[in-house]
PDB file of all heavy atoms in Angstrom:
ATOM      1  N   LEU F 358     107.038  77.280 117.356  1.00  0.00           N
ATOM      2  CA  LEU F 358     108.244  77.161 116.542  1.00  0.00           C
ATOM      3  C   LEU F 358     107.960  76.378 115.267  1.00  0.00           C
ATOM      4  O   LEU F 358     108.382  76.743 114.171  1.00  0.00           O
ATOM      5  CB  LEU F 358     109.321  76.436 117.366  1.00  0.00           C
ATOM      6  CG  LEU F 358     110.754  76.731 116.999  1.00  0.00           C
ATOM      7  CD1 LEU F 358     111.063  78.189 117.295  1.00  0.00           C
ATOM      8  CD2 LEU F 358     111.682  75.823 117.777  1.00  0.00           C
ATOM      9  N   PHE F 359     107.213  75.300 115.421  1.00  0.00           N
ATOM     10  CA  PHE F 359     106.888  74.479 114.257  1.00  0.00           C
ATOM     11  C   PHE F 359     106.070  75.279 113.250  1.00  0.00           C
ATOM     12  O   PHE F 359     106.249  75.154 112.046  1.00  0.00           O
ATOM     13  CB  PHE F 359     106.115  73.239 114.696  1.00  0.00           C
ATOM     14  CG  PHE F 359     105.870  72.285 113.565  1.00  0.00           C
ATOM     15  CD1 PHE F 359     106.879  71.451 113.111  1.00  0.00           C
ATOM     16  CD2 PHE F 359     104.643  72.225 112.941  1.00  0.00           C
ATOM     17  CE1 PHE F 359     106.668  70.584 112.066  1.00  0.00           C
ATOM     18  CE2 PHE F 359     104.422  71.346 111.869  1.00  0.00           C
ATOM     19  CZ  PHE F 359     105.438  70.532 111.447  1.00  0.00           C
ATOM     20  N   HIS F 360     105.177  76.108 113.791  1.00  0.00           N
ATOM     21  CA  HIS F 360     104.334  76.909 112.914  1.00  0.00           C
ATOM     22  C   HIS F 360     105.153  77.909 112.100  1.00  0.00           C
ATOM     23  O   HIS F 360     104.705  78.368 111.048  1.00  0.00           O
ATOM     24  CB  HIS F 360     103.301  77.651 113.775  1.00  0.00           C
ATOM     25  CG  HIS F 360     102.127  78.154 112.990  1.00  0.00           C
ATOM     26  ND1 HIS F 360     101.249  77.319 112.361  1.00  0.00           N
ATOM     27  CD2 HIS F 360     101.692  79.399 112.721  1.00  0.00           C
ATOM     28  CE1 HIS F 360     100.331  78.033 111.730  1.00  0.00           C
ATOM     29  NE2 HIS F 360     100.576  79.289 111.941  1.00  0.00           N
ATOM     30  N   MET F 361     106.328  78.242 112.577  1.00  0.00           N
ATOM     31  CA  MET F 361     107.154  79.245 111.888  1.00  0.00           C
ATOM     32  C   MET F 361     107.910  78.665 110.697  1.00  0.00           C
ATOM     33  O   MET F 361     108.398  79.397 109.861  1.00  0.00           O
ATOM     34  CB  MET F 361     108.186  79.830 112.857  1.00  0.00           C
ATOM     35  CG  MET F 361     107.589  80.654 113.970  1.00  0.00           C
ATOM     36  SD  MET F 361     108.895  81.105 115.130  1.00  0.00           S
ATOM     37  CE  MET F 361     107.910  81.699 116.490  1.00  0.00           C
ATOM     38  N   ILE F 362     108.040  77.358 110.634  1.00  0.00           N
ATOM     39  CA  ILE F 362     108.864  76.761 109.573  1.00  0.00           C
ATOM     40  C   ILE F 362     108.183  76.949 108.221  1.00  0.00           C
ATOM     41  O   ILE F 362     107.037  76.588 108.059  1.00  0.00           O
ATOM     42  CB  ILE F 362     109.072  75.251 109.821  1.00  0.00           C
ATOM     43  CG1 ILE F 362     109.706  75.027 111.189  1.00  0.00           C
ATOM     44  CG2 ILE F 362     109.944  74.649 108.725  1.00  0.00           C
ATOM     45  CD1 ILE F 362     109.871  73.565 111.520  1.00  0.00           C
ATOM     46  N   PRO F 363     108.887  77.535 107.263  1.00  0.00           N
ATOM     47  CA  PRO F 363     108.320  77.635 105.918  1.00  0.00           C
ATOM     48  C   PRO F 363     107.964  76.246 105.374  1.00  0.00           C
ATOM     49  O   PRO F 363     108.776  75.317 105.468  1.00  0.00           O
ATOM     50  CB  PRO F 363     109.440  78.278 105.104  1.00  0.00           C
ATOM     51  CG  PRO F 363     110.227  79.058 106.107  1.00  0.00           C
ATOM     52  CD  PRO F 363     110.177  78.239 107.363  1.00  0.00           C
ATOM     53  N   VAL F 364     106.756  76.143 104.840  1.00  0.00           N
ATOM     54  CA  VAL F 364     106.227  74.825 104.504  1.00  0.00           C
ATOM     55  C   VAL F 364     107.074  74.070 103.479  1.00  0.00           C
ATOM     56  O   VAL F 364     107.172  72.849 103.540  1.00  0.00           O
ATOM     57  CB  VAL F 364     104.774  74.939 104.008  1.00  0.00           C
ATOM     58  CG1 VAL F 364     104.192  73.576 103.710  1.00  0.00           C
ATOM     59  CG2 VAL F 364     103.930  75.629 105.060  1.00  0.00           C
ATOM     60  N   ILE F 365     107.709  74.810 102.547  1.00  0.00           N
ATOM     61  CA  ILE F 365     108.405  74.056 101.507  1.00  0.00           C
ATOM     62  C   ILE F 365     109.566  73.237 102.063  1.00  0.00           C
ATOM     63  O   ILE F 365     109.996  72.282 101.435  1.00  0.00           O
ATOM     64  CB  ILE F 365     108.899  74.922 100.311  1.00  0.00           C
ATOM     65  CG1 ILE F 365     110.078  75.811 100.674  1.00  0.00           C
ATOM     66  CG2 ILE F 365     107.805  75.742  99.724  1.00  0.00           C
ATOM     67  CD1 ILE F 365     110.758  76.346  99.408  1.00  0.00           C
ATOM     68  N   THR F 366     110.046  73.602 103.256  1.00  0.00           N
ATOM     69  CA  THR F 366     111.123  72.787 103.822  1.00  0.00           C
ATOM     70  C   THR F 366     110.571  71.639 104.674  1.00  0.00           C
ATOM     71  O   THR F 366     111.338  70.881 105.248  1.00  0.00           O
ATOM     72  CB  THR F 366     112.096  73.647 104.650  1.00  0.00           C
ATOM     73  OG1 THR F 366     111.339  74.468 105.538  1.00  0.00           O
ATOM     74  CG2 THR F 366     112.914  74.539 103.759  1.00  0.00           C
ATOM     75  N   LEU F 367     109.238  71.525 104.749  1.00  0.00           N
ATOM     76  CA  LEU F 367     108.644  70.434 105.532  1.00  0.00           C
ATOM     77  C   LEU F 367     108.163  69.294 104.648  1.00  0.00           C
ATOM     78  O   LEU F 367     108.120  68.137 105.072  1.00  0.00           O
ATOM     79  CB  LEU F 367     107.412  70.928 106.292  1.00  0.00           C
ATOM     80  CG  LEU F 367     107.601  71.834 107.479  1.00  0.00           C
ATOM     81  CD1 LEU F 367     106.233  72.221 108.028  1.00  0.00           C
ATOM     82  CD2 LEU F 367     108.398  71.115 108.538  1.00  0.00           C
ATOM     83  N   VAL F 368     107.728  69.649 103.426  1.00  0.00           N
ATOM     84  CA  VAL F 368     106.990  68.652 102.655  1.00  0.00           C
ATOM     85  C   VAL F 368     107.855  67.481 102.207  1.00  0.00           C
ATOM     86  O   VAL F 368     107.360  66.358 102.107  1.00  0.00           O
ATOM     87  CB  VAL F 368     106.285  69.276 101.430  1.00  0.00           C
ATOM     88  CG1 VAL F 368     105.083  70.050 101.869  1.00  0.00           C
ATOM     89  CG2 VAL F 368     107.226  70.145 100.639  1.00  0.00           C
TER      90      VAL F 368
END
Side-chain angles (χ1 to χ4, degrees):
Chain F
L358 206 65
F359 186 78
H360 198 64
M361 293 173 193
I362 303 177
V364 182
I365 72 165
T366 48
L367 288 178
V368 285

